[in-house]
Amino acid sequence: MSLETPRRGFTDDEFTSRTHKAQRLMAEQGLSGVLLMTEPEVRYFSGFLTPFWLSPTRSWFLFVPADGKPIAVIPTIGAVLMQKTWVDDIRTWNSPATGNDGVDLLIDLLSPLASKRARVGVPMGPETALRMPVGDWERLKATLQGIEIVDATGLIRALRMVKSSAEIAKLAHVCAIGSATFACVPDFAQVGRPLEQVFRSFRHAALEFGADDVPFLAGSAGPGGYEDIISPPSRASLRIGDILMLDSGVTWDGYFCDFDRNFAIGRRNDLPRRAHDTLWRATEAGIEAVRPGRTCRDIFYAMQRVIEGMDDGIGDVGRLGHGLGMQLTEWPSIAPFDDTLIEENMVLTLEPSLGYANGLMMVHEEVVVVRSRGAELLTDRATPELPVI
């Protein structure tokens, strides 16, 4: 897979297209605008990319009106960076300001809508969050009682689930970086190496291949298998007979890859060999099931039918994959409860898991983009046989 680097950022045309699509949906739903306050949504409509969101101190807001460009209401510390985006209207306050962190500016912005009894969307559903103090939110609502606040989760979700060609290029690139990094694991995951050093070597390799960061790296190792899939590394050394799993969320230009790989250390015993084979075939069934017009539920059951012959239920993590993009996990879920229709240019992970040997589990994951004829892999496909280091 090529590591040719695409351009960073997006053209103004990309943001114009996103905004116009949002405004068409607003018109259909009778909305006068959408208020956003979480990092992916603010970045999606503005291009505002910064690690400063890791600080919980300040609130950040972006208002997408029913007509015209987005309006940023942000702390002064972010003004210079926001001015480098396509956003023209940037309203700032000195933050932190206890008790009034941008609320007065929001009231000034939205008051004309309150006088018109307008409807304003705010994401409220699953996988959303209110990223401002609850007290500030209550004050905002009390002051703007003329505004009807409605749930905009579906609107934002519909936009972000389907990727543009520029987004797919970034996702393909970061998945290529992840694939190249996993190919190097046998170089640093030998018998006797502490797991925490394996993690450090993985991060170093990903950065050497061009990743911007490795904000997520989980995994485990144990005799014949592992018991969970979200652990930080221990100091225990790899031993012959261990099964090592690494699950990585590498980023490039604000977009994630998310997939894992399993390795047998020294030898490949029968149960983990069978588990890997089952999951590989389940993933293959998932790849074959990915077609525009099908549902996430269809993909789930295509993989589940392969898994159920070996799975003892211990490896059940609630779903068998999810969307991917600016976040490590995005909507939709490859799960029996999700009837989301698969659309061309969605990017999905296929992540079957199973339990075996009274307490052990294994998980396998690939990333695909949905094309008109089916799934196209963005990751270098794992080998059918569990690899031995």
Side-chain angles (χ1 to χ4, degrees), residues 182-351:
F182 273 115
C184 292
V185 170
D187 297 336
F188 52 76
Q190 298 91 3
V191 172
R193 191 88 184 273
L195 189 59
E196 62 181 8
Q197 290 187 20
V198 173
F199 273 52
R200 291 193 189 101
S201 295
F202 187 98
R203 287 191 168 94
H204 183 267
L207 295 172
E208 286 292 313
F209 279 117
D212 291 337
D213 200 0
V214 188
F216 178 82
L217 180 60
S220 193
Y226 41 87
E227 296 177 337
D228 79 280
I229 58 173
I230 61 171
S231 293
S234 71
R235 294 183 175 179
S237 297
L238 295 177
R239 297 165 294 180
I240 293 176
D242 279 355
I243 300 300
L244 166 67
M245 186 277 288
L246 296 170
D247 186 5
S248 177
V250 172
T251 60
W252 186 85
D253 201 27
Y255 283 76
F256 274 91
C257 75
D258 175 27
F259 63 107
D260 66 57
R261 291 292 180 261
N262 294 277
F263 304 89
I265 306 300
R267 64 171 181 260
R268 182 170 50 216
N269 295 330
D270 183 59
L271 273 178
R273 181 197 64 77
R274 287 176 51 209
H276 186 275
D277 172 73
T278 300
L279 293 175
W280 194 92
R281 289 185 291 106
T283 305
E284 197 73 5
I287 293 170
E288 290 298 317
V290 172
R291 295 285 188 279
R294 292 183 179 172
T295 67
C296 290
R297 182 187 296 114
D298 294 334
I299 301 170
F300 173 88
Y301 283 115
M303 292 190 284
Q304 183 65 23
R305 282 191 289 270
V306 179
I307 294 167
E308 60 190 6
M310 182 175 182
D311 183 27
D312 64 12
I314 295 173
D316 184 10
V317 296
R319 62 183 182 181
L320 301 182
H322 51 79
L324 179 68
M326 293 190 296
Q327 291 172 284
L328 182 75
T329 68
E330 295 184 354
W331 197 266
S333 290
I334 309 299
F337 59 78
D338 195 334
D339 59 0
T340 300
L341 284 175
I342 301 303
E343 297 182 52
E344 189 174 354
N345 295 333
M346 283 181 170
V347 174
L348 306 169
T349 75
L350 303 177
E351 190 176 11

Side-chain angles (χ1 to χ4, degrees), residues 165-182:
S165 58
E167 288 183 289
I168 292 170
K170 295 180 191 295
L171 287 160
H173 181 65
V174 73
C175 285
I177 292 172
S179 293
T181 306
F182 273 115

Side-chain angles (χ1 to χ4, degrees), residues 342-381:
I342 301 303
E343 297 182 52
E344 189 174 354
N345 295 333
M346 283 181 170
V347 174
L348 306 169
T349 75
L350 303 177
E351 190 176 11
S353 61
L354 58 79
Y356 65 98
N358 297 318
L360 300 180
M361 66 180 300
M362 186 176 287
V363 61
H364 178 76
E365 192 170 16
E366 303 283 3
V367 180
V368 301
V369 57
V370 183
R371 300 302 193 187
S372 60
R373 297 182 179 179
E376 174 187 318
L377 279 162
L378 295 184
T379 45
D380 288 350
R381 184 79 163 98

